[in-house]
Structures are given as structure tokens and as C-alpha cells.
Amino acid sequence: MRPRPARPWQLAAALLTAALLAGCATSVDPIERLGRKAAQGVRPPSPSADRTYRRWGLEAPLPAPPKPPDRPPRPAGATPPAGPPEVVDRVATSDPVVFLTYDDGAEKDPRFVDMVRELRLPVSMFLTDSVVGPGYGHFARLMSAGADLQNHTLDHPSLRGLPYGGQRAEICGQRDRIRSRFGVSPRLFRPPYGRYDRTTLRAAADCGVSAVVLWRGVTTDNGLRFRHGPHELRAGDILLVASGDDDLDGPPLRDRTTRLLRRIQESGLTVGRLQDYL
């Protein structure tokens, strides 16, 4: 019996099958293709997150800080420990961290908020009510970006030598202002100009302050000025980034911060969250 001739639809199906098999034999798996491009020096684009640090003038990303020391939780509204609060300008730690602090609240650059958010900077803002004025919304945005809001008095007077009632009104008044606006009670306090006396410590304790925070280094147009000790960054240093209002011809706050971050990186350090250590 002679075989029947193939029908037209059968011939078309056979040709299509042959074409598909030939294509599979010559095609390159997408993963293999990516490997070939990498071998030829063509790399896939880096994620935008990897370029964030360059956008803010840094040559490398900030290392993540180590896990902070364990501290017993303090319930909200708990009575602070008896006695005056400690006065610190650096933290006793072997962790390779320093701490960035900012005073008053006069400079309200929205790009600084972006900088804090994108670099995940754990900054501490010590606010003065009369300086912040109507700009508390700016600091609400900073708080949402991860900043801590702390106490720097209502009206920025030099507290040393003032009577107890006046000092307590300044410290407790700003504590209450921050609490009413942001729902947080600041535990850290910085006296204006770094000036204080025993009365300041007593008033601060009565206002729930756990630490009076000074600074060991402050930014200047030429870099950093240290108040005492070695003229180099050390682990645990508390640093004050002076605002543009301290030098109207100086660079804006974000540029001062970038310059300081470069020096921190050159020293083999990174930025920690002050509240985690005090």
C-alpha cells in the first residue's frame, strides 16, 4: 500500500515545529546573556539608593552604626532618677560613632530634611521656641524623617546666675511646648551658650531631664574646633553643627553637615543616635 500524501495543514505544522526547535537550539538563556554582558564589562545600572550618598557630596555611603547598648526601658511618665542629671560632651563608648546635634532651629532648609531622610542621619535638634517661631511644621517633617527633638529653652537666655524659678520656667516651658506639639517629652537638654550652674541642674532634674548635653567639637568655616582634649575626632564625641545664622556668610546647614560627614568617614567613624546612649 502506498503512503498517503501529506495534507497541506500537516506540512505547515511540521515546518513550524522545525523552526521552533531551531530557535531553541540557538537562543541564549536571559541569565546567561546577562553573564556574557558582565564578562564584556557591561554591568546593569546600580540602584538609585547606591547613588544617594553621591547626591549629598559624599564619596562613600555612611556605614551603619553598631547595635547600641541595651538600656532598660523607661516607662512614659516615669519619675527620673533622683539627683542632678549628668553633664556630657562625649559618651563613654568603644563603638565607632559620633553624634550630630543642632541648636535653636533658625535655619529651615527643606533640602536638609531630604538629606536626613535619604542618608538616614540620626540627628538631634535642640529647639528654642522663640527662635523656631511659626516654623514647627519644618521640625515635624524632620521628626518624621528620623530626627530627635530636644530641649533648648523657651527664649534662649544665658541661664547661669538666674534664679531657680526663671530657669525652671525656661526648661519646663519648652518641654511642655514640644510635648504639646509633637507628643514627645524631651529627656535631653542643652543650656544656651553651654552655660549652666547648679541651679540649672536642679531645675533640669525637676523638668525630667536625664542629661545636660554640651559638645566637644563645633563646626567652623575651617573645619572643627574642639573645646578640650585631642584636636581629632574620637569615638563618643558629641558635635555641634553650627547653623548659618551663626555665620550669615557661611555655607548652609546641609553643606556644613556634608563637610563634617566627610571628616567623620576619614576618621573611620560613623553617626550614632544620641538618645540610644544617654
Side-chain angles (χ1 to χ4, degrees), residues 131-189:
V131 177
V132 174
Y136 273 98
H138 172 80
F139 295 97
R141 291 186 287 274
L142 267 172
M143 184 179 174
S144 70
D148 288 325
L149 305 184
Q150 304 295 345
N151 191 338
H152 197 43
T153 71
L154 281 172
D155 298 308
H156 208 271
S158 178
L159 295 178
R160 183 189 299 163
L162 293 181
Y164 169 80
Q167 295 204 37
R168 188 181 189 282
E170 284 288 340
I171 301 169
C172 287
Q174 181 62 350
R175 175 204 62 189
D176 296 343
R177 192 63 53 88
I178 291 175
R179 179 191 292 164
S180 67
R181 288 183 176 271
F182 303 106
V184 297
S185 292
R187 295 188 301 103
L188 307 181
F189 168 68

Side-chain angles (χ1 to χ4, degrees), residues 73-215:
R74 181 178 166 188
T79 303
E86 61 178 333
V87 180
V88 296
D89 62 11
R90 64 185 309 271
V91 173
T93 181
S94 59
D95 291 348
V97 295
V98 295
F99 307 99
L100 301 188
T101 66
Y102 301 76
D103 281 3
D104 305 339
E107 194 170 340
K108 305 175 184 67
D109 181 358
R111 289 201 64 204
F112 181 68
V113 180
D114 296 336
M115 182 183 200
V116 170
R117 177 182 294 107
E118 293 181 15
L119 293 178
R120 299 182 180 180
L121 284 179
V123 299
S124 298
M125 317 298 296
F126 288 82
L127 302 183
T128 295
D129 182 70
S130 62
V131 177
V132 174
Y136 273 98
H138 172 80
F139 295 97
R141 291 186 287 274
L142 267 172
M143 184 179 174
S144 70
D148 288 325
L149 305 184
Q150 304 295 345
N151 191 338
H152 197 43
T153 71
L154 281 172
D155 298 308
H156 208 271
S158 178
L159 295 178
R160 183 189 299 163
L162 293 181
Y164 169 80
Q167 295 204 37
R168 188 181 189 282
E170 284 288 340
I171 301 169
C172 287
Q174 181 62 350
R175 175 204 62 189
D176 296 343
R177 192 63 53 88
I178 291 175
R179 179 191 292 164
S180 67
R181 288 183 176 271
F182 303 106
V184 297
S185 292
R187 295 188 301 103
L188 307 181
F189 168 68
R190 172 168 286 161
Y193 316 105
R195 298 172 187 159
Y196 68 96
D197 55 20
R198 294 177 64 181
T199 303
T200 309
L201 301 184
R202 182 162 67 96
D206 292 345
C207 296
V209 170
S210 60
V212 172
V213 180
L214 305 181
W215 61 92

Side-chain angles (χ1 to χ4, degrees), residues 23-56:
C24 291
T26 58
S27 65
V28 179
D29 181 80
I31 301 299
E32 182 182 351
R33 188 183 302 118
L34 184 61
R36 288 184 182 179
K37 286 187 176 181
Q40 297 169 359
V42 180
R43 297 182 179 179
S46 301
S48 60
D50 291 344
R51 298 191 295 269
T52 297
Y53 60 92
R54 297 186 188 279
R55 183 158 60 251
W56 298 108

